Amino acid sequence: MKKISAVLGALAAAAVMFTGCQKQDLIVGFVQAGHESAWRIANTESFEQAFGKDSGYILDMHDCNGSRDLQIEVIRKLLDDGVDYLVIAPVVEDGWEEVLHEAKEADVPVILCDRQISADSNLYECWVGSYFVGEGRNAVNWLENYLKEIEWKKERTFIVHLQGTKGSSAQKGRTQGLEEGLRNHPEWKLLGFDNGNFSESGGYIAMKKIIASIGIDMIDVVYAENDDMAIGAVEAIRETGKEPGKDIIIISFDAGRRALELVKQGVINCDVECNPMHGPLVKNIIDQKEKGIEPEKIMNVKESLYDITNVDEVLETRTY
Ligand code: GZL
């Protein structure tokens, strides 16, 4: 009799232990591009909030400091560690096939956010991000209307182009938008361009180099592919005594708070929004997948464009 009660007691203890134990939190490996801009910091924070305590997930985030090769190295380590999901914000579009095949073989779902990659779309569940070509087209459309509005009289409009990280889909899309504008407007001339790698110092140095080579007086428009480079360019222009936003039209992308303040002050004339809040969208995708619901392959985020006429609508509520 004693023996039976001992066995029953052990079974009961096992049952309590089993039913009492928590569902293990799923581990989400987040392979972040870097920390190059205010946008990127806001993007990281959106993941830290979405996958925070009591979210049911553990976020294992790695800042890869602008290096695609380091991202690939981190992905292999996370696969070895046995993550349940991989979220990747790729630095550039190329070089992903091999490591994504490894993730597929390990049966670890991959979700892309922010920039895109040039790999077989069967290698990842979905992509969450912006329509970068559309952002560029919106900026060009704004410039067309603005030049009409101010009754621009010059026969030629000379544009300086500050490019973001070469080979990133944000750079490729925004550059395509400008290139289409230049093709459609023979009176617009690309006076100079340089790459500022989406950073403030990069934008400042690139702008200084262009001013040194062509002179400040020739420049009518600066098309900067993100706020940080635009802010750097504004500083370089101010050092010449010219007034950015008045003597030179400044176009930017991201629409972060710091740049929107400059839009309000008339220093940046147009800021095309690029929404960094991917964290909650990606968490929802994983929540759905855990319920057996497959995500849409492409999920574009909602975005707008701000200038002096509508910046007040967003400035007070902008948290990043
Ligand atoms: C756009 C993102 C770009 C931002 C930059 O989705 O990839 O990278 O425009 C950021 O600010 O550095």
Side-chain angles (χ1 to χ4, degrees):
M1 191 57 183
K2 264 191 181 165
K3 199 170 176 193
I4 293 172
S5 60
V7 168
L8 287 176
L11 282 174
V16 167
M17 192 180 75
F18 180 75
T19 50
C21 77
Q22 294 296 323
K23 173 177 109 34
Q24 282 300 321
D25 284 354
L26 292 175
I27 301 175
V28 176
F30 179 31
V31 187
Q32 177 58 291
H35 52 275
E36 73 283 358
S37 63
W39 186 98
R40 185 68 56 197
I41 303 300
N43 182 249
T44 295
E45 286 170 356
S46 81
F47 277 89
E48 288 169 339
Q49 280 153 29
F51 290 92
K53 193 170 167 306
D54 303 330
S55 67
Y57 300 98
I58 294 167
L59 186 73
D60 184 357
M61 195 204 92
H62 297 257
D63 170 345
C64 295
N65 198 25
S67 163
R68 186 271 321 276
D69 293 347
L70 178 56
Q71 288 190 301
I72 289 173
E73 201 181 303
V74 163
I75 289 168
R76 289 192 167 117
K77 181 184 176 306
L78 290 170
L79 291 173
D80 285 348
D81 292 350
V83 290
D84 298 293
Y85 283 88
L86 271 173
V87 179
I88 305 169
V91 173
V92 291
E93 291 191 347
D94 298 330
W96 296 96
E97 291 279 345
E98 188 182 333
V99 76
L100 292 185
H101 274 292
E102 292 166 26
K104 194 110 183 142
E105 278 146 36
D107 199 22
V108 173
V110 172
I111 295 166
L112 297 179
C113 74
D114 182 20
R115 303 170 187 174
Q116 292 164 288
I117 63 173
S118 53
D120 177 354
S121 64
N122 292 317
L123 292 172
Y124 54 89
E125 302 299 312
C126 63
W127 166 75
V128 179
S130 302
Y131 179 40
F132 299 116
V133 178
E135 291 176 354
R137 288 172 179 160
N138 288 342
V140 165
N141 183 50
W142 177 89
L143 181 59
E144 290 166 345
N145 294 331
Y146 183 68
L147 293 177
K148 282 185 200 133
E149 201 181 288
I150 61 173
E151 297 176 346
W152 185 253
K153 294 281 185 280
K154 290 180 76 174
E155 265 185 43
R156 292 257 187 281
T157 303
F158 292 110
I159 298 172
V160 159
H161 178 198
L162 300 182
Q163 270 190 341
T165 303
K166 194 81 185 136
S168 67
S169 44
Q171 174 269 311
K172 292 168 85 170
R174 292 168 189 168
T175 294
Q176 181 182 327
L178 176 60
E179 288 170 343
E180 290 174 354
L182 288 163
R183 278 198 298 276
N184 296 335
H185 290 275
E187 75 281 13
W188 293 5
K189 294 295 171 206
L190 183 64
L191 204 56
F193 89 100
D194 201 345
N195 192 295
N197 213 23
F198 286 134
S199 73
E200 185 171 338
S201 59
Y204 174 77
I205 292 163
M207 195 67 219
K208 291 280 280 186
K209 275 165 60 179
I210 291 168
I211 291 168
S213 69
I214 57 174
I216 189 72
D217 294 329
M218 289 287 288
I219 303 170
D220 297 312
V221 181
V222 172
Y223 183 97
E225 291 183 351
N226 88 324
D227 287 343
D228 301 70
M229 293 193 296
I231 290 166
V234 159
E235 188 187 338
I237 292 167
R238 279 176 165 158
E239 286 176 0
T240 70
K242 289 283 186 182
E243 270 200 81
K246 292 175 181 56
D247 301 324
I248 296 177
I249 298 165
I250 309 291
I251 293 172
S252 183
F253 295 81
D254 285 353
R257 185 176 186 78
R258 203 174 154 213
L260 291 175
E261 297 279 5
L262 293 174
V263 171
K264 180 145 175 81
Q265 296 161 27
V267 175
I268 291 178
N269 301 90
C270 165
D271 204 346
V272 181
E273 185 176 40
C274 180
N275 183 340
M277 296 298 152
H278 300 156
L281 299 173
V282 171
K283 180 182 177 296
N284 184 52
I285 288 166
I286 295 176
D287 288 344
Q288 297 295 313
K289 272 209 54 79
E290 284 301 297
K291 294 173 195 155
I293 301 167
E294 290 308 308
E296 294 293 319
K297 203 68 174 169
I298 291 180
M299 195 178 292
N300 279 139
V301 288
K302 290 189 181 56
E303 312 184 311
S304 184
L305 175 152
Y306 298 102
D307 63 12
I308 197 72
T309 64
N310 67 346
V311 67
D312 285 333
E313 289 167 20
V314 69
L315 192 51
E316 285 325 305
T317 55
R318 179 65 93 222
T319 56
Y320 59 89

